[in-house]
């Protein structure tokens, strides 16, 4: 066989790991798009524990946990994506606060981040493609009925609606889906008419929208459910709520941790920490969900990504692994299948896609 026959097509993804002084940092992987094989390629050690990876165009935003208490730790770090490498471009710190997610406005003039621990949302101007500073901080004032997780606001996700008209912030601690507009300066202004209180003790954690922009799906940390909403112009209308796992099969505490949807709108996959499963739901024409299949993962799955409408890559912090699974839509005896490809990592926490369609040896 010649060299040409040994080449393969891969997609790149990055994983952040808590780890120790020796192995904490950012790992890059190839995913073989033909068989789901995971191939570790590089590792860059970091001084702090990465919490979240957020890709926006050619930039990767990484948030790190402040482990020292110093006011110059934590914050948001901006990197240029260069296939398997990340080059530091800018850094914004804010009194040592730790952030858990970053998004960028459609016009790329501002970035926004949430602080789960202090219940805050920050706005950061972008000048010449780089983050500049924190220009505004909004404090959420909410609480719920759970005596441990809902004593105060805990924003768990920030995202733009699919029409790019509104910013949504899920407050797990306050049982609220906050809806904001952007003023002429790029600052967040809450639209109280559109902001929605969820059922008490729900704990909204993460939301995605259907590709036709008509429905939103939200996994709820405390209730361990997934809610289906009809979406229109910033308004959310509750259609149904159902468990993300089979309660009869698991008697402990379960937390849904991540959610993805296939590009064709047909399936939604949810990871469950506790039950330690991926559950696959099928969407109907009315947007409602029907449980279709499930498969066991390593212990404590915390993050999920989907590639090519075929491969699910799961990050399990407790089990210390990244593993892949396959969606086979035309199989009669199930849809989710093991690829038997996995890689051991020390306390992985997050995942983000990189470049696609690389031909490599």
């Amino acid at each position: 066989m010649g060299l040409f026959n040994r080449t393969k097509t891969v997609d790149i993804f990055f994983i952040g790991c808590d780890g120790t002084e020796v192995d904490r940092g950012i790992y890059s992987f190839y995913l073989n798009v033909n068989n789901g094989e995971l191939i570790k390629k590089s590792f860059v050690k970091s001084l702090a524990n990465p919490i979240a990876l957020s890709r926006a165009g050619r930039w990767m935003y990484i948030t790190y946990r402040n482990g020292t208490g110093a006011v110059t730790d934590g914050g948001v770090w901006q990197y240029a994506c260069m296939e398997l490498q990340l080059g530091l471009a800018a850094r914004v710190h804010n009194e040592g606060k730790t952030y858990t997610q970053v998004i960028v406005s459609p016009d790329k003039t501002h970035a926004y981040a949430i602080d789960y621990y202090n219940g805050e949302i920050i706005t950061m101007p972008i000048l010449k493609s780089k983050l500049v500073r924190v220009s505004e901080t909004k404090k959420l004032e909410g609480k719920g009925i759970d005596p441990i997780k809902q004593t105060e606001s805990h924003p768990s996700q920030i995202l733009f609606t699919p029409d790019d008209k509104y910013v949504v912030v899920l407050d797990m601690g306050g049982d609220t889906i906050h809806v904001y507009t952007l003023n002429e300066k790029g600052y967040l202004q809450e639209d109280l008419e559109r902001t929605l209180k969820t059922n008490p003790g729900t704990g909204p954690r993460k939301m995605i929208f259907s590709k036709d922009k008509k429905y939103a799906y939200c996994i709820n940390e405390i209730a361990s459910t997934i809610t289906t909403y009809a979406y229109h112009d910033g308004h959310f209308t509750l259609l149904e709520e159902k468990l993300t796992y089979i309660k009869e099969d698991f008697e402990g505490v379960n937390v849904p941790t991540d959610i993805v949807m296939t590009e064709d709108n047909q399936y939604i996959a949810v990871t469950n920490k506790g039950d330690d499963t991926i559950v696959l739901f099928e969407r109907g024409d009315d947007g409602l969900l029907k449980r279709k299949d499930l498969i066991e993962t390593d212990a404590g799955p915390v993050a999920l990504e989907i590639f090519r409408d075929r491969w699910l890559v799961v990050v399990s912090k407790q089990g210390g692994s990244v593993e892949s699974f396959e969606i086979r839509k035309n199989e009669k005896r199930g849809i989710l299948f093991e690829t038997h490809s996995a890689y051991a990592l020390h306390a992985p926490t997050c995942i983000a896609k990189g470049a696609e369609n690389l031909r490599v040896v």
Side-chain angles (χ1 to χ4, degrees):
M1 294 178 64
L3 179 64
F4 176 80
N5 294 317
R6 298 202 305 269
T7 62
K8 50 185 171 284
T9 302
V10 301
D11 291 347
I12 294 174
F13 64 91
F14 298 89
I15 288 182
C17 288
D18 272 1
T20 65
E21 292 182 0
V22 176
D23 55 17
R24 79 165 61 96
I26 308 300
Y27 294 76
S28 65
F29 280 82
Y30 285 159
L31 170 73
N32 187 328
V33 302
N34 292 316
N35 60 15
E37 178 189 11
L38 305 177
I39 307 165
K40 176 180 170 291
K41 294 302 298 181
S42 67
F43 164 64
V44 177
K45 186 169 69 172
S46 63
L47 298 177
N49 297 325
I51 291 181
L53 302 170
S54 304
R55 176 79 183 271
R58 65 188 181 98
W59 303 106
M60 183 76 75
Y61 298 88
I62 304 180
T63 61
Y64 296 94
R65 187 186 309 279
N66 185 338
T68 68
V71 295
T72 55
D73 278 357
V76 178
W77 301 56
Q78 180 185 7
Y79 297 83
C81 291
M82 300 175 289
E83 290 192 0
L84 292 173
Q85 296 181 335
L86 300 175
L88 182 62
R91 178 189 176 191
V92 173
H93 57 79
N94 183 29
E95 300 175 349
K97 293 180 180 178
T98 296
Y99 297 96
T100 53
Q101 190 198 354
V102 181
I103 61 169
V104 176
S105 63
D107 63 6
K108 298 179 176 58
T109 60
H110 292 82
Y112 309 89
I114 51 174
D115 179 351
Y116 176 93
Y117 307 98
N118 294 295
E120 294 178 348
I121 314 166
I122 59 169
T123 299
M124 297 170 287
I126 296 175
L127 182 63
K128 296 182 179 179
S129 298
K130 296 182 180 180
L131 294 178
V132 179
R133 66 188 185 281
V134 175
S135 59
E136 183 188 50
T137 299
K138 284 189 174 295
K139 177 73 173 179
L140 298 179
E141 301 288 350
K143 62 180 181 179
I145 63 173
D146 189 283
I148 298 176
K149 293 186 174 183
Q150 293 188 312
T151 58
E152 59 184 346
S153 285
H154 292 299
S156 55
Q157 188 192 21
I158 183 169
L159 72 161
F160 276 91
T161 55
D163 49 24
D164 289 333
K165 293 173 61 176
Y166 306 95
V167 173
V168 173
V169 174
L170 303 185
D171 181 1
M172 189 276 293
D175 280 333
T176 306
I177 300 174
H178 295 276
V179 180
Y180 297 90
T181 57
L182 300 180
N183 65 17
E184 65 279 1
K185 295 183 178 180
Y187 292 151
L188 299 172
Q189 293 184 321
E190 186 161 12
D191 188 325
L192 296 177
E193 178 187 351
R194 289 174 167 83
T195 288
L196 175 70
K197 290 289 291 184
T198 65
N199 292 329
T202 299
R205 179 180 176 115
K206 186 173 182 180
M207 175 181 287
I208 59 173
F209 289 90
S210 60
K211 304 303 185 289
D212 59 11
K213 306 178 183 181
K214 295 180 179 179
Y215 300 96
Y217 300 90
C218 183
I219 52 173
N220 303 299
E221 177 169 332
I222 298 174
S224 194
T225 57
I226 179 170
T227 44
T228 301
Y229 296 95
Y231 173 78
H232 177 70
D233 192 30
H235 291 280
F236 295 88
T237 302
L238 178 63
L239 299 180
E240 70 171 353
E241 183 174 357
K242 58 177 52 183
L243 289 172
T244 60
Y245 70 113
I246 300 176
K247 193 171 185 178
E248 295 78 10
D249 293 346
F250 179 69
E251 297 180 354
V253 176
N254 182 72
V255 174
T257 55
D258 211 347
I259 179 173
V260 296
M261 181 186 294
T262 56
E263 286 291 333
D264 62 7
N265 278 287
Q266 187 175 2
Y267 296 108
I268 287 176
V270 175
T271 45
N272 289 294
K273 181 177 69 174
D275 188 45
D276 295 340
T277 56
I278 302 171
V279 174
L280 196 71
F281 295 92
E282 187 172 26
R283 295 180 66 250
D285 293 337
D286 55 3
L288 301 183
L289 301 180
K290 178 181 179 181
R291 185 185 293 110
K292 193 70 176 179
D293 200 3
L294 65 83
I295 197 167
E296 293 183 353
T297 68
D298 204 348
V302 293
L304 177 67
E305 209 28 290
I306 186 168
F307 297 80
R308 309 290 182 111
D309 264 11
R310 181 180 178 187
W311 308 109
L312 294 171
V313 177
V314 181
V315 173
S316 297
K317 183 177 182 180
Q318 182 181 345
S321 72
V322 52
E323 53 189 338
S324 64
F325 298 89
E326 184 178 7
I327 300 175
R328 300 179 190 170
K329 298 180 181 179
N330 297 320
E331 291 285 337
K332 296 181 179 179
R333 296 183 179 180
I335 299 176
L336 293 175
F337 293 85
E338 295 181 352
T339 65
H340 302 288
S341 182
Y343 196 92
L345 294 173
H346 189 182
T349 58
C350 47
I351 183 172
K353 290 182 177 181
E356 300 178 335
N357 277 323
L358 276 70
R359 293 289 294 173
V360 298
V361 178

